Amino acid sequence: MSQDSAPKKEKDKAPAQKQEKKSGFTKTEVMIPMRDGVKLNTMILVPNDTTEKLPFLMQRTPYGIGGADLGVRFGPMAKEGYIFVFQDVRGRFKSEGIFAMMSAGVRDRKDPKGTDDTTDAYDTIEWLLKNVENNNGRVGIYGVSYPGWLAAMALLDPHPALKAASPQSSPIDQWMGDDFRHNGAFRLSYGFEYTAMMETDKTNQLYKFDKLDTYDWYLKLGALSNVNERLFKNKMPTWNNFVKHPDYDAFWRDQALVPYLNKITVPTLNVTGWFDQEDFRGPLKIYEYLEKVDKDNKNFLVVGPWNHGGWGGAGSSLGKIDFGSATGTYFREKIQAPFFAYYLKDKGDLKQPEALLFQTGSNKWVSHDKWPVKNAITKKLYFHSDRKLSFNAPEANETEFDGYRSDPNNPVPYRPRPIRATYQGPGWSDWVVQDQRFNDHRPDVLTYQTEPLEEDIVIGGSITAKLFAATSGTDSDWMVRIIDVYPESYRQPDMSGYQLMISGEPLRGRYRKSFEKPEPIVPNQVEEYSIDLHWNHHCFQKGHRIMVQVSSTWFPVIDRNPQKYVPNIFEAKDSDFQAADQKVYHSPKAPSHMELMIMPNEPKAVGSR
Ligand code: PG9
């Protein structure tokens, strides 16, 4: 730490520091004061044998900085020469202050004393520049998921020394489509278990289930109103906010980054994986919003074949899906390290494409100068009788609809049972790519599929489901999954007939017209439901089939809809839940279909590096 930047006020004084020299770095632990006097626990790692002035690379986290240094000491960026900084956010682990989930929103910009994770990042950078010797005056920030969101928050009013950022799998809007809600449907297992983990005390506490199979446990728990009555006893602020704000109101809108992503001054590398089981929508939307104001080409997108944070490992496969190369290693060495070296150390000649995307199915990295691709054509893939899918519209002589009975007491599992707790056992990290055959025989799952494809079909943008459907109830969920079905005689025999989900999303029917103002459904009336399944870049290869599945439950990743309209599902009682008869239409008047943005021809391949 430099001695010459003597702090003037008592609260600005550099607090006591603990130092340790180990594996090439000197580690210092320090409490850094924020503008309101709250001190945040920070670890600083300075390379031992450097003569050049170095930039900072910073990560902020709610998960505890203990052990964070091990990750960087041996990573490719350690060799490059950075001063690494790790910080516990307010109220977590050794940091002072009160933890509020995602800082309970962006601070009130009119309040000069307001703080949030934008000001905390700013104050930390200010302190580092003044107090750590031999820095070159530049800072980079990166992180995955919550730390990714903290990196995105640092961009809202960036410190002038912040010269590069990489928000990776950052949520953007927890109601619309990240960890806690998707189109209004509540992500029960994640929302419950994450709240318990973060708000039981200042450290990470995994919820202690008395059953291995949480499908059973959540079913026994029953209505969401039982959570506070029996378990949380109103002590968990995040759960109480779920209950208090069932609809898309100011609480959620103020937390979403959308209104603030209206300028870009810091080069930003947005990163996520196609099979992200937690925050897939967030990073795509952050890229999309920043792109609207990106006049100087500072905003980039990288999407690999990864689950949540999967680029931290080799990334050669996920579950049973093989990607043909070490995509994670490639990202860390050839994308992430050069990005920061260029902006923080003037090193190299950055050739980062606008969008560098791994095309799943064909297993290759492809670069695009515009995303979604300029010349993608939107095609409609229609549902038909006999559970068929085709690009031709339904005709009058076909049966009008398919039906099923959705019973909230026997919900469709989202992955094969036993479903172990989210962070406590195998299953969560790769459930998205698990073979969907475990469900397609269920009478409450409708399965439609094409004939084997005569040529490759490559998605080059968004996938949207347009369902025409009716329910005998007054509220209903509609879940749509799009699946790549491998040929029956596949070159890798144990993958024959495999059903790989490319994307899947729910829509809570009460929000079909407005996310702010839910409305009951008129029983047995056909309505149109539009469900965004987000961008994709998958190649359905010749000989494969495209499959679409529809159901009304997906448990316990999504809570059960009572199927009877109640003002607030978080306050529903067990007696409110009822079975309902569902109909999915495929008639000329009510032609359910998928809208696919399809590439007319093959993009420029960068090779499977
Ligand atoms: N998906 C996690 C998260 C991010 C932000 C808020 C809540 C949860 C995470 O992995 O950090």
Side-chain angles (χ1 to χ4, degrees):
M1 303 294 135
S2 74
Q3 304 299 312
D4 54 7
S5 53
K8 290 174 199 72
K9 293 188 208 136
E10 185 61 27
K11 75 177 174 68
D12 292 339
K13 273 188 194 161
Q17 298 169 1
K18 214 168 78 191
Q19 276 204 338
E20 175 198 317
K21 281 190 179 218
K22 212 162 83 183
S23 32
F25 288 89
T26 299
K27 172 162 124 184
T28 306
E29 280 180 48
V30 60
M31 296 293 284
I32 298 186
M34 301 294 105
R35 61 190 65 185
D36 60 352
V38 166
K39 297 194 188 74
L40 302 188
N41 183 42
T42 310
M43 178 204 295
I44 302 167
L45 293 178
V46 181
N48 288 337
D49 48 5
T50 181
T51 47
E52 58 170 329
K53 287 189 184 298
L54 297 177
F56 295 100
L57 251 186
M58 175 162 124
Q59 280 194 41
R60 308 187 63 246
T61 180
Y63 301 128
I65 59 174
D69 56 323
L70 300 175
V72 299
R73 282 181 206 270
F74 305 109
M77 291 199 291
K79 287 181 232 126
E80 187 62 59
Y82 292 101
I83 303 166
F84 290 99
V85 179
F86 299 94
Q87 185 172 68
D88 288 326
V89 295
R90 283 172 185 250
R92 294 290 292 163
F93 290 81
K94 291 188 198 155
S95 278
E96 297 176 358
I98 295 167
F99 174 67
M101 185 69 74
M102 300 183 77
S103 52
V106 175
R107 74 187 189 284
D108 176 0
R109 302 305 181 90
K110 288 184 221 109
D111 175 5
K113 293 206 177 116
T115 61
D116 60 12
D117 283 301
T118 301
T119 62
D120 285 352
Y122 191 106
D123 295 350
T124 303
I125 293 174
E126 187 71 10
W127 190 95
L128 292 168
L129 295 170
K130 288 186 185 146
N131 291 281
V132 180
E133 283 175 351
N134 280 330
N135 73 76
N136 77 353
R138 297 189 206 179
V139 182
I141 189 163
Y142 71 124
V144 179
S145 201
Y146 201 124
W149 179 81
L150 293 164
M153 284 293 280
L155 292 171
L156 302 190
D157 289 316
H159 191 288
L162 186 64
K163 298 295 181 199
S166 184
Q168 309 184 346
S169 276
S170 164
I172 184 173
D173 183 331
Q174 285 287 10
W175 197 94
M176 280 300 173
D178 290 307
D179 297 285
F180 300 145
R181 306 282 289 267
H182 277 217
N183 297 318
F186 178 54
R187 298 235 309 169
L188 171 61
S189 47
Y190 199 83
F192 175 84
E193 291 168 46
Y194 190 80
T195 302
M197 177 171 90
M198 300 301 278
E199 294 180 351
T200 300
D201 65 33
K202 286 183 86 171
T203 62
N204 305 329
Q205 294 297 330
L206 296 180
Y207 191 81
K208 291 190 181 68
F209 288 97
D210 55 11
K211 270 185 190 298
L212 177 84
D213 188 357
T214 59
Y215 177 96
D216 249 3
W217 189 91
Y218 282 107
L219 204 54
K220 264 223 168 80
L221 170 71
L224 298 184
S225 57
N226 295 325
V227 169
N228 263 339
E229 265 169 50
R230 295 187 199 154
L231 306 167
F232 284 173
K233 309 279 182 204
N234 302 314
K235 289 197 184 117
M236 304 287 181
T238 294
W239 189 270
N240 295 341
N241 282 327
F242 293 152
V243 178
K244 213 163 139 198
H245 304 281
D247 308 325
Y248 194 59
D249 61 10
F251 173 81
W252 297 105
R253 264 197 313 276
D254 291 351
Q255 224 179 71
L257 298 177
V258 181
Y260 309 97
L261 298 172
N262 53 7
K263 59 178 188 307
I264 175 160
T265 47
V266 179
T268 302
L269 186 70
N270 301 282
V271 179
T272 190
W274 296 120
F275 303 114
D276 191 315
Q277 73 279 17
E278 295 175 26
D279 303 289
F280 176 54
R281 181 181 181 275
L284 301 183
K285 287 283 169 196
I286 294 176
Y287 168 77
E288 187 181 344
Y289 285 108
L290 287 180
E291 195 50 27
K292 290 185 185 153
V293 290
D294 184 28
K295 292 190 187 68
D296 304 322
N297 199 26
K298 291 192 169 110
N299 184 41
F300 307 100
L301 179 66
V302 177
V303 190
W306 303 310
N307 62 353
H308 196 58
W311 48 99
S316 313
S317 61
L318 181 60
K320 288 185 81 175
I321 314 301
D322 185 72
F323 303 123
S325 63
T327 61
T329 312
Y330 168 69
F331 167 76
R332 294 193 306 279
E333 288 176 1
K334 301 283 192 270
I335 311 288
Q336 180 174 257
F339 173 80
F340 283 115
Y342 180 78
Y343 287 110
L344 300 181
K345 304 185 86 175
D346 295 326
K347 221 170 147 184
D349 174 18
L350 191 72
K351 293 201 184 81
Q352 186 61 35
E354 174 64 30
L356 180 67
L357 310 178
F358 191 83
Q359 193 181 96
T360 49
S362 57
N363 279 356
K364 61 189 177 200
W365 286 101
V366 181
S367 69
H368 295 278
D369 51 13
K370 181 118 184 71
W371 181 261
V373 290
K374 284 189 283 269
N375 54 353
I377 298 161
T378 301
K379 284 198 175 168
K380 293 180 178 175
L381 186 63
Y382 291 97
F383 296 30
H384 286 272
S385 40
D386 302 328
R387 307 293 172 88
K388 290 205 168 113
L389 279 181
S390 91
F391 288 104
N392 303 321
E395 291 178 9
N397 59 359
E398 296 186 43
T399 52
E400 265 192 303
F401 62 83
D402 293 306
Y404 60 95
R405 191 164 175 78
S406 167
D407 182 357
N409 291 321
N410 181 21
V412 176
Y414 77 99
R415 61 172 152 115
R417 295 175 61 188
I419 298 175
R420 289 167 194 239
T422 302
Y423 294 128
Q424 306 177 41
W428 174 249
S429 60
D430 63 5
W431 76 264
V432 173
V433 297
Q434 282 180 16
D435 194 340
Q436 294 296 314
R437 274 179 290 197
F438 76 97
N439 256 344
D440 82 359
H441 64 283
R442 278 188 61 126
D444 49 358
V445 176
L446 295 181
T447 299
Y448 298 87
Q449 61 180 334
T450 61
E451 293 298 324
L453 301 176
E454 282 168 16
E455 53 184 28
D456 291 357
I457 291 184
V458 181
I459 307 293
S462 60
I463 302 178
T464 312
K466 299 278 182 188
L467 272 196
F468 290 85
T471 174
S472 63
T474 46
D475 194 2
S476 173
D477 286 355
W478 303 100
M479 280 82 180
V480 177
R481 299 177 277 279
I482 183 161
I483 291 163
D484 181 341
V485 185
Y486 287 41
E488 269 312 323
S489 51
Y490 194 63
R491 58 178 181 272
Q492 212 182 317
D494 65 332
M495 293 297 286
S496 294
Y498 197 90
Q499 295 182 3
L500 172 66
M501 181 166 67
I502 302 309
S503 188
E505 284 293 344
L507 170 67
R508 186 139 287 177
R510 58 174 50 209
Y511 298 113
R512 68 204 175 284
K513 293 187 188 152
S514 157
F515 289 125
E516 288 84 3
K517 292 199 180 85
E519 253 181 57
I521 298 174
V522 180
N524 301 314
Q525 184 172 298
V526 185
E527 298 224 28
E528 185 177 347
Y529 297 89
S530 180
I531 311 174
D532 180 5
L533 279 83
H534 315 298
W535 288 338
N536 217 288
H537 201 18
H538 183 74
C539 174
F540 292 93
Q541 290 188 306
K542 184 177 167 183
H544 289 224
R545 296 170 191 258
I546 304 177
M547 175 183 277
V548 174
Q549 283 186 354
V550 181
S551 65
S552 293
T553 45
W554 215 17
F555 191 74
V557 71
I558 300 293
D559 70 318
R560 297 165 311 145
N561 189 320
Q563 304 188 148
K564 165 179 149 194
Y565 189 86
V566 291
N568 182 349
I569 293 181
F570 288 89
E571 290 173 343
K573 302 281 171 242
D574 291 318
S575 54
D576 291 322
F577 288 74
Q578 62 178 28
D581 291 316
Q582 314 289 77
K583 289 179 182 162
V584 173
Y585 283 77
H586 36 68
S587 66
K589 268 205 213 138
S592 295
H593 60 271
M594 305 296 289
E595 278 180 8
L596 308 176
M597 281 178 78
I598 294 177
M599 300 201 45
N601 38 43
E602 263 300 273
K604 196 170 50 176
V606 209
S608 48
R609 295 188 255 186

